[in-house]
Amino acid sequence: TKSNTWCFTTADYPPLPTIEITNPKEGFFYFQDEPLFSLGNNTIVYGPTTLKIKILKTSIAQVDRVEIIINDKLEKTFETKDYNYDYEWSPTLCGQYKIKATVYDNMGQNFSDSIVLFKWRFHPIFILGTFLILIGIVSQL
């Protein structure tokens, strides 16, 4: 559009690609990659976990890559042009983790989804056994 004093051009950008972390889902306790029961707003994972990421819709542009970032560190990059991505994840430390998945298209657009979860590594029997051993040692002192 233009006149004698101004001129401007608009561009119709395609919609952003969208992505979703489908496993683990927020609000569940997972044991060996299976959801056992609901935890409300908390997510706890015990054992190895398969992070599953799904691209729900893309723009008219092609998918360039998908990145998995865990606690602000790049963990994995997928450069295949797929709509479903799986990543076997088994950290060695217990603790809270923020997992973020981002899809990028070849026009420079991106969209992310994230989940915060607590990774439980030790079996409860191991912790109970250690606790009982410590109690026995302390009682002998």
Side-chain angles (χ1 to χ4, degrees):
T1 305
K2 68 180 179 175
S3 77
N4 292 339
T5 56
W6 52 268
C7 175
F8 68 89
T9 304
T10 60
D12 186 20
Y13 287 99
L16 291 173
T18 56
I19 193 169
E20 180 182 20
I21 298 172
T22 60
N23 190 62
K25 281 289 205 186
E26 189 171 332
F28 286 91
F29 176 81
Y30 281 81
F31 181 79
Q32 302 296 339
D33 219 10
E34 293 292 327
L36 293 184
F37 51 86
S38 175
L39 288 174
N41 293 332
N42 298 311
T43 304
I44 298 175
V45 174
Y46 174 80
T49 303
T50 303
L51 302 177
K52 295 185 179 204
I53 293 123
K54 181 176 186 171
I55 296 178
L56 302 174
K57 95 179 157 178
T58 61
S59 62
I60 59 171
Q62 298 273 329
V63 170
D64 181 55
R65 70 186 184 282
V66 171
E67 293 178 347
I68 298 175
I69 297 169
I70 300 177
N71 289 349
D72 298 323
K73 180 182 173 208
L74 180 63
E75 180 82 13
K76 175 74 175 167
T77 300
F78 296 97
E79 293 182 354
T80 58
K81 313 306 187 240
D82 202 354
Y83 288 91
N84 295 294
Y85 301 89
D86 292 352
Y87 178 64
E88 300 296 324
W89 180 59
S90 186
T92 56
L93 298 176
C94 291
Q96 183 172 307
Y97 290 88
K98 180 180 180 187
I99 299 170
K100 179 178 167 184
T102 304
V103 59
Y104 296 87
D105 68 18
N106 62 3
M107 294 183 69
Q109 300 182 110
N110 65 75
F111 186 82
S112 298
D113 188 24
S114 63
I115 184 171
V116 175
L117 58 84
F118 186 84
K119 179 68 174 172
W120 186 257
R121 183 91 175 139
F122 300 107
H123 195 281
I125 291 175
F126 172 78
I127 293 172
L128 180 61
T130 304
F131 180 71
L132 292 174
I133 290 169
L134 290 174
I135 289 175
I137 292 172
V138 169
S139 67
Q140 292 178 2
L141 295 176

